[in-house]
Amino acid sequence: MLKSIINIFYIRYGERRGMLAACLMFVMLNVLNVARHWNNLTVVGLKYHDFIKGWHLSGFDPITYGVISDWTIGYNIYRHPLLPYYMWPLSMLNKGLKAVTGMDWAIVLTAMLLVFCATYAFLFLWRIHKDVIGVTSREGYLLTVLTFSMAYVMLATMVPDHFVMSLFWLTLTLYICGLKLKRGSALNMWQTIVLFFMTAGVSLNNGLKVFLAALVTRKYRFFEWRFLLFAVVLPSALIWGSARLTYKEMVWPKEMARKAKSEQVRKTKAEKLRATVADTIKSHDSVSIEKAFQAAVKKQKEKEQRRRQMSAVVRHTGKPIAKGEFMRWTDATTSRMDVAVESLFGEGIMIHEKYLLGDVLVNRPVIVHYRNWGNYIVEALLFTLFIIGLWCGRKKQFLWTAMSFLMLDLLLHMVLGFGINEMFIMSAHYLFVLPIAMAYLLKALPKLHRRRLVMLLAPVTLYLIAWNVTLIVEYLYWD
């Protein structure tokens, strides 16, 4: 077991130059973000809650900074059940560094984590193209760079959110699955359990993709009672039970304390309003005062309701499919076609110039259009190559394993509408499937046409890098 883990993470001699180049690229991206916030985030005693409220880069959340700076649950524990605990070692390291240096190193430690995850995700994707699908080394590098040139995959490598960590575990899962399929073997029980805990621990819905990978490699053996019980049912129950326990013991008491504080503030405001009403009507009659007070309260509630209806959170969220604890987060009314063009294969790949990296829940419309047709041409080209690649690899189990990851996200976001108003921020969960399909197209072409396709993809990749990096720099330093 230990030897196989070491082999997975060992960077071979022929991979070192490529990985060094990739690592330097991710370091430079993180330097852009760290330099922008260095003076604000390295001061010991910083109130991260205040910083997080004012930090906006699209829909990403900088919660990781706060968790590492002063360990707390931080994340939504039902969506990220084990992620706070994965951050605990870095938080303890930061605590020691603060004591020694007098500086808060959370922003630097977060950047180091992002670079590590991005570099290994790059490695796993390159190996998938070269070792699993079978394109050449150079073609593999081109397709992998194309993946990371896509806007919200690139952003995931430099923002303090969980998406690049998910990308790391998803690409590792796919790589192991690809090797298993190539050798005619299957994910065994311990591999499935470890991958599920790590992947679902970061983002719960992505844990389902590990089960999809196990289903593809094991086929009917997936339904053996031992495997179902110990690799599927028990880990799922444990991770959900862990989330429930954490919420009960660590989140619920704080929520109740905040609720009690809010209730006290509400009562204080109500008493002040009652006193103001009594002074205004200049009466000591309790019935008259109460009647005027209730009228004032009703007027305040109506004003607050109007303000809420005008907020971006309400205006940019469609009507849910049904009411309920989870179904209330669905969306039945947002246009799927517009989202597909402008978000799924639009903003996720190329940043829009208008409302540059704006937050849908603050100041950005759900649907934003590009200013010129060139962007749509690039989008249409990549989508077309993706579809042709699917046809060329239609008989390959590995391609449909990767596609199952994408289809799960499409089910959650495009069909049910979970997070559809800012679907593009989830791009690192699924956009890597596009170049994987293109790899099958490359492999199916004769040598001359294969070279021509490479000559087409290379400038497109450079264009995406130039376009996205320019707009990111503009947002961070000149917007």
Side-chain angles (χ1 to χ4, degrees), residues 123-280:
L123 174 63
F124 297 143
L125 276 174
W126 178 76
R127 287 179 179 174
I128 285 170
H129 293 304
K130 180 178 176 291
D131 299 337
V132 176
I133 301 174
V135 299
T136 67
S137 178
R138 289 185 179 181
E139 290 168 344
Y141 277 125
L142 174 60
L143 292 169
T144 306
V145 174
L146 173 61
T147 303
F148 285 92
S149 71
M150 296 178 181
Y152 277 71
V153 180
M154 180 185 292
L155 281 166
T157 69
M158 60 182 288
V159 296
D161 213 319
H162 73 279
F163 294 101
V164 77
M165 290 176 261
S166 291
L167 179 62
F168 169 85
W169 289 109
L170 291 173
T171 53
L172 174 59
T173 300
L174 266 183
Y175 175 54
I176 294 173
C177 181
L179 293 180
K180 295 287 185 179
L181 288 171
K182 194 172 182 179
R183 297 166 184 167
S185 57
L187 284 179
N188 59 36
M189 190 176 294
W190 75 262
Q191 289 170 330
T192 303
I193 292 171
V194 171
L195 288 172
F196 172 76
F197 269 109
M198 299 309 298
T199 306
V202 173
S203 183
L204 187 61
N205 59 295
N206 282 328
L208 297 175
K209 296 175 182 179
V210 175
F211 294 152
L212 289 172
L215 176 61
V216 170
T217 60
R218 295 182 66 86
K219 299 180 178 64
Y220 66 89
R221 287 183 293 163
F222 179 86
F223 299 100
E224 293 175 350
W225 74 267
R226 289 184 182 84
F227 186 84
L228 276 178
L229 177 60
F230 294 109
V232 178
V233 176
L234 188 58
S236 299
L238 285 173
I239 207 165
W240 184 252
S242 169
R244 296 286 293 184
L245 181 62
T246 299
Y247 181 81
K248 179 182 178 181
E249 297 298 326
M250 303 181 71
V251 178
W252 177 257
K254 291 183 179 180
E255 287 187 352
M256 289 300 98
R258 283 195 295 268
K259 186 175 180 180
K261 186 177 180 180
S262 297
E263 181 64 19
Q264 184 60 44
V265 170
R266 187 194 66 78
K267 288 181 179 179
T268 302
K269 288 182 177 179
E271 290 173 0
K272 288 183 179 179
L273 179 61
R274 188 184 294 275
T276 302
V277 167
D279 289 342
T280 302

Side-chain angles (χ1 to χ4, degrees), residues 12 35 39 41 49 84 91 102 123 130 141 182 193 204 231 287 324-325 339 343 351 358 360 397 403 411 428 479:
R12 304 163 198 145
N39 292 331
L41 291 178
H49 179 70
S91 181
L123 174 63
K130 180 178 176 291
Y141 277 125
K182 194 172 182 179
I193 292 171
L204 187 61
V287 175
E325 184 177 0
V339 169
S343 295
I351 299 170
V360 169
Q397 280 188 303
M403 276 300 296
L411 172 64
D479 190 39

Side-chain angles (χ1 to χ4, degrees), residues 322-444:
K323 295 180 180 180
E325 184 177 0
F326 292 104
M327 292 305 289
R328 65 191 177 95
W329 298 108
T330 59
D331 186 324
T333 56
T334 299
S335 169
R336 268 49 175 178
M337 180 59 71
D338 287 340
V339 169
V341 174
E342 303 295 350
S343 295
L344 175 60
F345 297 109
E347 179 83 357
I349 295 174
M350 291 170 290
I351 299 170
H352 284 85
E353 294 175 279
K354 292 189 294 184
Y355 301 98
L356 179 58
L357 293 175
D359 191 337
V360 169
L361 301 183
V362 179
N363 58 357
R364 181 192 190 276
V366 175
I367 304 301
V368 178
H369 302 283
Y370 291 107
R371 290 175 177 171
N372 62 76
W373 282 100
N375 299 92
Y376 292 108
I377 292 172
V378 172
E379 180 182 342
L381 171 65
L382 293 173
F383 180 73
T384 302
L385 294 175
F386 165 59
I387 296 299
I388 298 173
L390 289 181
W391 175 257
C392 293
R394 65 191 182 281
K395 296 181 180 179
K396 302 296 182 181
Q397 280 188 303
F398 177 75
L399 176 58
W400 291 108
T401 306
M403 276 300 296
S404 71
F405 287 18
L406 172 60
M407 288 187 287
L408 177 62
D409 285 312
L410 292 181
L411 172 64
L412 290 173
H413 304 309
M414 294 294 284
V415 178
L416 295 176
F418 286 105
I420 192 172
N421 56 353
E422 51 179 3
M423 183 178 180
F424 43 84
I425 72 168
M426 271 74 76
S427 294
H429 290 169
Y430 54 79
L431 278 185
F432 56 84
V433 179
L434 274 65
I436 286 176
M438 293 176 201
Y440 283 98
L441 169 58
L442 270 173
K443 194 176 178 184

